[in-house]
Amino acid sequence: MDARSPQASRNETAAFRRGADHIAPDCAGQNFYAVDRGLRDLLPLYLSPADFARLRPHFDRLGALAGGRLDELARIADQHPPVLHQRDRFGRDEDWIDYHSAYREMEGIAFGDFQFHAMSHRGGTLGMDRPLPAVAKYALQYLFVQAEFGLMCPISVTDTSIHLIRKFASHELKEYLLPKMLSADPAVQWKGTQFMTERSGGSDVGTIETMARFESGAWRLYGDKWFCSHADADVALLLARPEGAPAGTKGLALFALPRRLEDGSRNAYRIVRLKDKLGTRSMASGEILLDGAFAWLVGKADRGLKQMMEQVNLSRLSHGVRAASMMRRCVNEAMVVARSREAFGRTIIDYPLLRRQLMKIRLPTEQALSMFLFTASAMDRANAGDADAESILRILTPLLKFRACRDNIPVATGAMEVRGGNGYIEEWVNARLVRDAHIGVLWEGTSNINALDIITRAVGKSRAHLPLAAVLARLLDEASTIPSPFRDGLRLALDRAMHLAERVAAEDCLEHQARKAASALYHVTSAVLMTWEASRPGTDARRALYGRLVLEHRLGAHNPLALDEPAWERKAVELLLSELDVSSAEVTELLS
Ligand SMILES: Cc1cc2nc3c(=O)[nH]c(=O)nc-3n(C[C@H](O)[C@H](O)[C@H](O)COP(=O)(O)OP(=O)(O)OC[C@H]3O[C@@H](n4cnc5c(N)ncnc54)[C@H](O)[C@@H]3O)c2cc1C
């Protein structure tokens, strides 16, 4: 009960409000689905009408959670990172990790309520009688991560571990693991993870030293894994070299390592310590010492890396989605600040320099949204047996991971700057977004490793850029409501980007240009997609303006010393930052 007089209480509230008046609010209480015009417009394009109708209430529900309870929990969990205990009070080496109750509550939402880990593998989640399409799964990840990034690692890696077990494990192993891994009951559920990196190298996995010995009818692992996220998972998929196998990647086999043996006792490995990380602080990453740990061989012993790469690629896609998601949170935060903070007597969104800064945050965010939805739709088509879609997925996955994760860093910094000094203070989400953004360019391959994968393997060996170019050309044809000269400009950029990628792939001496060539592929793909999307009935026609901005600023020649900002661009920025509806005629004029 408030013991103060009603007047005192009223005065204090008024004083508080006066103080708060000067501080720009954040996105607390927003529904991240409802405020996301791009996502709302694009989901009906990339999902069947029936799936969209069925899943829409869940997008809406998760959007509200992400701007509400989940956001509160994420802030608390970030401030109370997990703690490793090496021994119990009797001195037994029973290592375990303690998590804050906020993290546990988020696990309940993710694994119990939405069942992210299982939604691709069985029916029964979110009222669906079959697995969710990839587009829906990644759209849900995108909404979740706008609140909580750290936990998405255990969620995604459980999902991808299930994929590997389903695809490569023996019948007996599937029978043993899958009922546990697919369960949504915390008392039964086994969560998964993936340990590859050793001290000798994360990029150069051929140097892996962990040894597998076949002893008394079972595989035993000996070695040291240096980076192990979701360190206390119930089952880890990892690479090790069977005794006598050749050096390099050819000698690596894939194993499943249970944390507990069938009798409930601890397996022979220890979490030696947890990493003190810049970001993803709610989630435990540790170092693991394997001392004769029991493990199951998964699939063929000489195809370990090939099999593991399926998990890596699924994780890469999810990382691209996570980057898109964090960028969206940055946009949401920046727009709230820009529309409410005042300086020099005006709301800051009125200043041309700030508007330019906002566009630098929004453009890569919208690119990443189109890119991840298109990539996920390629996965859905590939899963249905479309061979071209499989090739397109092959090239789009590292493209998305490479570019979106890189873009996330300046976007997070830009959004922090829009909030001003408060953006640097840990009470506001911006500081966490800046910290979390950086991991995207490290795990599942650095930028260089992904760029080389795109150019050397996806373009050079698999020729996956060819079906991608064909689909993009078809989408440009379909976008018949968009003025032809602009579409011709995109066609030319498409040809030039494909040609650049082919040349860099073909000539060893051009390897140092791999990132440039990969960026060009990403930009041209996103520009075509946004243009096509804008041409579809029911979609915001302004998306094509993003396409033009990409064409001019990312794919065209530009003079860094030129002063001119063309009239179309000034008007385009105005329209894109406006909350009012814009007619397609206004947009068409700016594309002509
Ligand atoms: C918080 C965190 C959690 C992680 N969790 C996991 C996990 O759960 N499981 C797991 O397996 N790993 C995990 N990792 C490891 C991560 O995947 C690796 O750190 C990453 O792959 C890079 O490997 P590295 O650290 O050995 O760097 P290196 O491979 O030594 O790379 C150093 C630099 O060299 C560059 N480089 C390497 N080769 C080439 C080349 N051919 N051409 C050009 N440049 C090159 C790289 O781009 C990089 O800039 C985690 C890392 C972090 C930071």
Side-chain angles (χ1 to χ4, degrees), residues 226-247:
W226 184 239
F227 276 110
C228 303
S229 289
H230 195 199
D232 57 346
D234 304 285
V235 59
L237 293 175
L238 54 76
L239 292 176
R241 196 178 306 282
E243 212 170 21

Side-chain angles (χ1 to χ4, degrees), residues 10 29 158 169 303:
R10 257 199 310 279
T158 300
R303 293 180 65 81

Side-chain angles (χ1 to χ4, degrees), residues 69-70 73-74 76-77 80 82-83 96-113 144 148 151 154 186 189 191 230 232 234 282:
R69 181 65 181 156
L70 201 50
L73 295 169
I76 298 168
H80 298 88
V83 177
W96 77 97
I97 298 175
D98 266 342
Y99 294 88
H100 193 273
S101 55
Y103 185 84
R104 294 296 188 202
E105 191 176 332
M106 290 194 296
E107 281 187 316
I109 294 170
F111 291 100
D113 183 354
F144 187 94
E148 165 63 7
L151 180 60
Q189 198 204 354
K191 301 191 187 88
H230 195 199
D232 57 346
D234 304 285
S282 63

Side-chain angles (χ1 to χ4, degrees), residues 476-489:
L476 279 176
D477 291 343
E478 272 178 36
S480 56
T481 55
I482 306 290
S484 289
F486 172 58
R487 284 189 290 148
D488 289 344

Side-chain angles (χ1 to χ4, degrees), residues 194-197 201-204 227-229 277 285 439 442-446 448-449 452:
Q194 167 206 19
F195 303 155
M196 257 197 309
T197 306
S203 310
D204 189 1
F227 276 110
C228 303
S229 289
K277 297 179 287 182
S285 300
I439 187 63
L442 292 170
W443 57 18
E444 303 303 354
T446 59
N448 286 355
I449 295 304
L452 289 171

Side-chain angles (χ1 to χ4, degrees), residues 245-257:
T249 54
K250 283 199 174 71
L252 295 174
L254 179 65
F255 290 91
L257 169 83

Side-chain angles (χ1 to χ4, degrees), residues 37 534 539-545 571 575 578 580-591:
R37 173 81 192 264
T539 306
D540 185 353
R542 284 175 295 188
R543 274 196 98 63
L545 297 176
K571 182 74 184 157
L575 293 188
S578 151
L580 304 172
D581 271 347
V582 172
S583 74
S584 50
E586 278 177 282
V587 172
T588 305
E589 206 182 307
L590 296 180
L591 295 172

